Amino acid sequence: MRALVTGGSAGLGQALCDALLADGFQVVNLDCDPPKVISEAGYLYCDLSSREDVDKALDALTAQAGFDLVIFNAGISATGKFEDISTASHARIIAVNAEAPMVLCAALMKFGKINHGGNIGFVSSLSHFTGYPGAASYAASKDALAVYARAVRKTWQRKFNIKVTAIFPGPLKTDHAARHSPEGADAEKRMTPDEAALLILRDIKKGRAHSILGGAAKKLLFWGKLRLNR
């Protein structure tokens, strides 16, 4: 079995790679940074904010055997007042979090590189349901990914028996979360990447449309839905 994980060099992506390797998968990690720890996952360089890099990565990926599981995990953010964040930063967030996974996924499907009966996971965010003050571009980009997953899910399952899961993690115990979480946020209440990875893979294997991580996240999702329906 073969798996592809974007952003697999640190945080949740690294935990996903480790869990997949432990489960017997051959894993390809697509990232702009080399892995922070020694890993048996194959590493393929790609700056997802660069369309040239994305196209080069696709040339390499489509020359390989197909994947049984693909998880579009890579994500970046910028926090602060919307008007104080540079236009270039907003554009890079949209490119990495939304455009790149859509382009990669569309091409892999076009060239038959996601095997029939396989699975695709899109790592969105709880901001899809609750909003994310101070990180509007991040929230918008992750919202786009959730909508994309919903749009393709039924068609791809019917035509190719490929199941699509939208993943909604809250803040985890990662360096990324520490940099971009609101001031005063309690990091001790956050789930570890290893815990999150196991829950995500469980839900993907079960073919669930959504993966909501932990009881606290589900409560936040419930209240977020109430607010959205007002």
Side-chain angles (χ1 to χ4, degrees), residues 37-91:
V37 298
I38 296 174
S39 173
E40 294 181 11
Y43 171 63
L44 180 62
Y45 170 84
C46 181
D47 179 352
L48 292 174
S49 69
S50 164
R51 185 56 188 271
E52 181 180 359
D53 273 13
V54 170
D55 289 342
K56 287 180 180 177
L58 279 171
D59 288 342
L61 292 171
T62 54
Q64 300 179 16
F67 296 99
D68 302 289
L69 171 59
V70 178
I71 302 180
F72 296 100
N73 159 77
I76 60 172
S77 188
T79 48
K81 293 182 179 179
F82 185 85
E83 61 273 18
D84 291 340
I85 298 172
S86 70
T87 301
S89 292
H90 289 304

Side-chain angles (χ1 to χ4, degrees), residues 1 8 18 33 47 68 96 102 115 120 132 145 175 221 226:
M1 297 183 292
D18 290 345
D33 297 315
D47 179 352
D68 302 289
V96 172
M102 293 181 195
N115 297 332
I120 304 172
Y132 200 148
L145 209 55
D175 292 341
L221 181 150
L226 287 182

Side-chain angles (χ1 to χ4, degrees), residues 1-201:
M1 297 183 292
R2 302 187 74 239
L4 170 67
V5 178
T6 67
S9 291
L12 177 60
Q14 179 185 322
L16 287 165
C17 287
D18 290 345
L20 287 165
L21 287 166
D23 201 26
F25 279 83
Q26 295 180 346
V27 181
V28 176
N29 163 29
L30 186 69
D31 203 315
C32 63
D33 297 315
K36 290 189 174 182
V37 298
I38 296 174
S39 173
E40 294 181 11
Y43 171 63
L44 180 62
Y45 170 84
C46 181
D47 179 352
L48 292 174
S49 69
S50 164
R51 185 56 188 271
E52 181 180 359
D53 273 13
V54 170
D55 289 342
K56 287 180 180 177
L58 279 171
D59 288 342
L61 292 171
T62 54
Q64 300 179 16
F67 296 99
D68 302 289
L69 171 59
V70 178
I71 302 180
F72 296 100
N73 159 77
I76 60 172
S77 188
T79 48
K81 293 182 179 179
F82 185 85
E83 61 273 18
D84 291 340
I85 298 172
S86 70
T87 301
S89 292
H90 289 304
R92 188 165 185 267
I93 290 166
I94 297 300
V96 172
N97 296 3
E99 179 183 343
M102 293 181 195
V103 169
L104 287 166
C105 188
L108 291 171
M109 288 295 294
K110 177 181 178 180
F111 290 101
K113 293 301 177 177
I114 302 178
N115 297 332
H116 284 231
N119 296 84
I120 304 172
F122 292 97
V123 178
S124 180
S125 168
L126 281 180
S127 61
H128 177 65
F129 301 101
T130 66
Y132 200 148
S137 293
Y138 173 84
S141 65
K142 290 297 188 176
D143 192 63
L145 209 55
V147 173
Y148 183 85
R150 184 169 68 242
V152 300
R153 182 180 300 120
K154 290 184 179 179
T155 299
W156 289 356
Q157 182 166 354
R158 183 179 68 252
K159 293 181 66 175
F160 309 111
N161 192 28
I162 291 174
K163 297 178 177 63
V164 176
T165 301
I167 301 155
F168 301 101
L172 303 174
K173 289 183 181 179
T174 63
D175 292 341
H176 182 273
R179 286 195 303 271
H180 297 291
S181 292
E183 186 177 348
D186 186 357
E188 292 306 312
K189 295 181 179 179
R190 297 174 190 160
M191 186 179 294
T192 68
D194 289 340
E195 292 171 322
L198 292 177
L199 291 174
I200 288 168
L201 294 178

